[in-house]
Amino acid sequence: MGLNGGTLQAVRIAATGLALLASGAAQALSIEACTRVTHISHGGEADHVDLGEGRVMWRDWWSQEGSATDITVMDCAPGTALRARAAEENMNARFPFDRVEDALKVIATHESGARVFATLERMADELEEFARDVRIETLNTETCACAAFYPEARGDKTEFVLG
């Protein structure tokens, strides 16, 4: 029993739809999707930037009863992240401060030179002078910005899933 013209057309339409769905799943994550609320209305990520050569940066924000801004610079392939608290108010007993512009200047200065000299350790040393909670850590999970800008750098890390 063969397919009639109407049935064949329906199969072609269904196959085309499945192909479009499959290709959509394989497309890279949009960086716009990374600007999002991550903690029910009072915390999230924003201002994602591709710094080049597998490195990204973004701002984490918090605003409930107090406010905070953390800046993260990340080398996507190894999963190494430099995190620093650049602004804070009413988060704990510490005095409020806002050094976001200073932190961004430090990062821009380091990123404008050769990458061999723009190490996360050197940036951390300079950020220690005015930022708080400066730390370097290695993540086993891909971040949103790395998934959007450098999906090929995932390696063995757990794949980022938007949700």
Side-chain angles (χ1 to χ4, degrees), residues 139-157:
L139 307 178
N140 296 319
T141 302
E142 180 182 43
T143 64
C144 191
C146 289
F149 287 123
Y150 297 101
E152 71 283 357
R154 179 179 310 120
D156 294 336
K157 291 182 284 304

Side-chain angles (χ1 to χ4, degrees), residues 56-134:
V56 297
M57 177 177 75
W58 69 90
R59 174 178 60 90
D60 289 294
W61 58 271
W62 182 267
S63 181
Q64 181 184 18
E65 311 252 344
S67 63
T69 298
D70 293 344
I71 295 175
T72 301
V73 176
M74 181 156 196
D75 279 325
C76 293
T80 308
L82 164 61
R83 297 181 191 239
R85 173 72 43 98
E88 175 181 283
E89 186 174 353
N90 295 326
M91 292 295 289
N92 51 45
R94 300 190 295 198
F95 288 110
F97 75 107
D98 184 345
R99 299 286 190 257
V100 172
E101 292 303 317
D102 295 328
L104 293 175
K105 284 178 188 173
V106 166
I107 294 165
T109 299
H110 284 268
E111 288 296 322
S112 67
R115 182 57 53 88
V116 69
F117 299 112
T119 66
L120 297 182
E121 291 78 10
R122 286 182 177 179
M123 278 188 245
D125 287 345
E126 198 166 334
L127 288 169
E128 283 282 354
E129 295 177 25
F130 56 84
R132 296 180 181 157
D133 307 330
V134 178

